[in-house]
Amino acid sequence: MSNDGCALSIDLGGTKVEIAIVDPQGTILTHERLPTHVENGAERVVEDILSGATALMQRSSYKIIAVGAGVAGQISSNGKEVLFAPNLKWRNFPFKEKLEKRLSLPCTILNDVRAATWGEWLHGAGKNCSDFLCLFLGTGIGGGIVAGGHLINGFSNAAGELGHTTLREGGRLCSCGHRGCLEAYAGGWGIAVTLKEAATSSPKKAAALIALAGGDAKALKAEHLSEAVKKNDPFAQEIYSQVIKSLSNGCVTFVNAFNPKLLIFGGGVALGMPMLLEKVQEEVKKSALGATGSPLQVIPATLGNTAVVIGAAAAALQSATFGSDSLRVHSA
Ligand SMILES: [Zn+2]
């Protein structure tokens, strides 16, 4: 057990909130999960978080010196407001102030993917590496960029949206409103659309896939693709090759742009697909420029779904120690 000051950490998503107490070594000491009642409005969601957090702190005797929150949404440059969080239906919500007022502790608010990247950097697969990219493949594709020992925030605190890289001009409509994004072909929802389209146009070839979805082509999801590939279904393998191709093409762009040492893949979709990392590494090394492709390693994220709470806690402790303007890893 750590006697150093710990952080209270919050991973706020559209369906659930994870609240944890995390020590400076990145160990989760205790945690609790609550449902996010988005329908009740922002104020009530905050009330639920505060009661959960207060109960968690009262049940344990850890010394809490800072609060970190990773939010599934865009955070203002000053780190005070959640500007837009579609899954929470929040717009311009002063989340930092709400937390600080009641908890009387300094709070650090980050985008959740940025928090997860921070977590992987300090305590996960990116440890001691000053140049890497994180790609989290879940329903969509989230990205985080660490370059030259800095987590890249961008001018308006919105950098890292790698999933919305244009892959095909005039292609499939994406959740962002644009067409042909990487996410629309290699994110969980994009893979599901591809499967449904394939099942509709080639029902006979897709018979094994459709059977995995209980005979309902409309119920096809990304995990059915990985199941069918594992069973060596040739049609599924064909579709899987296209997914790998799309993902690799996106990664070639990122690798040529940022020259990372590591490409860290996280998220259920990425880690559930057989040999995905190996295949992407092979493709990217083939197509990226020699100087950027040859040193590249594609590796799995190691913190799983704890990355956001661990990262938000680390950012909060860093911010409490060095000041909020200094969110840097000084040793990197
Ligand atoms: Zn998009």
Side-chain angles (χ1 to χ4, degrees), residues 163-164 174-178 181 183:
H164 299 288
C174 181
S175 58
C176 69
H178 186 64
C181 295
E183 175 176 307

PDB file of all heavy atoms in Angstrom, residues 163-164 174-178 181 183, ligand 1:
ATOM      1  N   GLY A 163      -8.663   8.171 -36.201  1.00  0.00           N
ATOM      2  CA  GLY A 163      -9.742   7.383 -36.815  1.00  0.00           C
ATOM      3  C   GLY A 163     -10.479   8.128 -37.911  1.00  0.00           C
ATOM      4  O   GLY A 163     -11.151   7.527 -38.740  1.00  0.00           O
ATOM      5  N   HIS A 164     -10.356   9.457 -37.912  1.00  0.00           N
ATOM      6  CA  HIS A 164     -11.071  10.253 -38.922  1.00  0.00           C
ATOM      7  C   HIS A 164     -10.158  10.715 -40.049  1.00  0.00           C
ATOM      8  O   HIS A 164     -10.413  11.727 -40.707  1.00  0.00           O
ATOM      9  CB  HIS A 164     -11.827  11.406 -38.254  1.00  0.00           C
ATOM     10  CG  HIS A 164     -12.853  10.895 -37.289  1.00  0.00           C
ATOM     11  ND1 HIS A 164     -14.014  10.287 -37.715  1.00  0.00           N
ATOM     12  CD2 HIS A 164     -12.840  10.818 -35.942  1.00  0.00           C
ATOM     13  CE1 HIS A 164     -14.700   9.875 -36.652  1.00  0.00           C
ATOM     14  NE2 HIS A 164     -14.010  10.186 -35.558  1.00  0.00           N
ATOM     15  N   CYS A 174     -19.314   8.609 -42.299  1.00  0.00           N
ATOM     16  CA  CYS A 174     -18.762   8.334 -40.969  1.00  0.00           C
ATOM     17  C   CYS A 174     -19.608   9.015 -39.885  1.00  0.00           C
ATOM     18  O   CYS A 174     -20.403   9.913 -40.172  1.00  0.00           O
ATOM     19  CB  CYS A 174     -17.320   8.842 -40.918  1.00  0.00           C
ATOM     20  SG  CYS A 174     -16.493   8.545 -39.353  1.00  0.00           S
ATOM     21  N   SER A 175     -19.398   8.607 -38.640  1.00  0.00           N
ATOM     22  CA  SER A 175     -20.124   9.208 -37.509  1.00  0.00           C
ATOM     23  C   SER A 175     -19.794  10.694 -37.356  1.00  0.00           C
ATOM     24  O   SER A 175     -20.549  11.444 -36.751  1.00  0.00           O
ATOM     25  CB  SER A 175     -19.762   8.469 -36.224  1.00  0.00           C
ATOM     26  OG  SER A 175     -18.365   8.532 -36.016  1.00  0.00           O
ATOM     27  N   CYS A 176     -18.667  11.137 -37.929  1.00  0.00           N
ATOM     28  CA  CYS A 176     -18.260  12.541 -37.814  1.00  0.00           C
ATOM     29  C   CYS A 176     -18.940  13.417 -38.874  1.00  0.00           C
ATOM     30  O   CYS A 176     -18.797  14.641 -38.857  1.00  0.00           O
ATOM     31  CB  CYS A 176     -16.744  12.667 -37.937  1.00  0.00           C
ATOM     32  SG  CYS A 176     -16.118  12.319 -39.585  1.00  0.00           S
ATOM     33  N   GLY A 177     -19.652  12.796 -39.808  1.00  0.00           N
ATOM     34  CA  GLY A 177     -20.336  13.572 -40.847  1.00  0.00           C
ATOM     35  C   GLY A 177     -19.572  13.611 -42.157  1.00  0.00           C
ATOM     36  O   GLY A 177     -20.107  14.004 -43.198  1.00  0.00           O
ATOM     37  N   HIS A 178     -18.295  13.220 -42.111  1.00  0.00           N
ATOM     38  CA  HIS A 178     -17.445  13.207 -43.303  1.00  0.00           C
ATOM     39  C   HIS A 178     -17.544  11.816 -43.946  1.00  0.00           C
ATOM     40  O   HIS A 178     -18.077  10.894 -43.347  1.00  0.00           O
ATOM     41  CB  HIS A 178     -16.010  13.520 -42.842  1.00  0.00           C
ATOM     42  CG  HIS A 178     -15.030  13.685 -43.946  1.00  0.00           C
ATOM     43  ND1 HIS A 178     -15.113  14.700 -44.868  1.00  0.00           N
ATOM     44  CD2 HIS A 178     -13.941  12.954 -44.270  1.00  0.00           C
ATOM     45  CE1 HIS A 178     -14.096  14.586 -45.713  1.00  0.00           C
ATOM     46  NE2 HIS A 178     -13.380  13.536 -45.375  1.00  0.00           N
ATOM     47  N   CYS A 181     -13.791   7.878 -43.822  1.00  0.00           N
ATOM     48  CA  CYS A 181     -12.797   7.840 -42.733  1.00  0.00           C
ATOM     49  C   CYS A 181     -12.325   6.412 -42.442  1.00  0.00           C
ATOM     50  O   CYS A 181     -13.073   5.444 -42.649  1.00  0.00           O
ATOM     51  CB  CYS A 181     -13.400   8.387 -41.442  1.00  0.00           C
ATOM     52  SG  CYS A 181     -13.838  10.113 -41.513  1.00  0.00           S
ATOM     53  N   GLU A 183     -12.096   4.992 -39.620  1.00  0.00           N
ATOM     54  CA  GLU A 183     -13.023   4.393 -38.663  1.00  0.00           C
ATOM     55  C   GLU A 183     -14.210   3.702 -39.336  1.00  0.00           C
ATOM     56  O   GLU A 183     -14.722   2.696 -38.861  1.00  0.00           O
ATOM     57  CB  GLU A 183     -13.512   5.495 -37.714  1.00  0.00           C
ATOM     58  CG  GLU A 183     -14.566   5.051 -36.751  1.00  0.00           C
ATOM     59  CD  GLU A 183     -14.960   6.138 -35.757  1.00  0.00           C
ATOM     60  OE1 GLU A 183     -14.075   6.697 -35.088  1.00  0.00           O
ATOM     61  OE2 GLU A 183     -16.171   6.413 -35.651  1.00  0.00           O
TER      62      GLU A 183
HETATM   63 ZN    ZN B   1     -14.994  10.351 -39.456  1.00  0.00          ZN
END
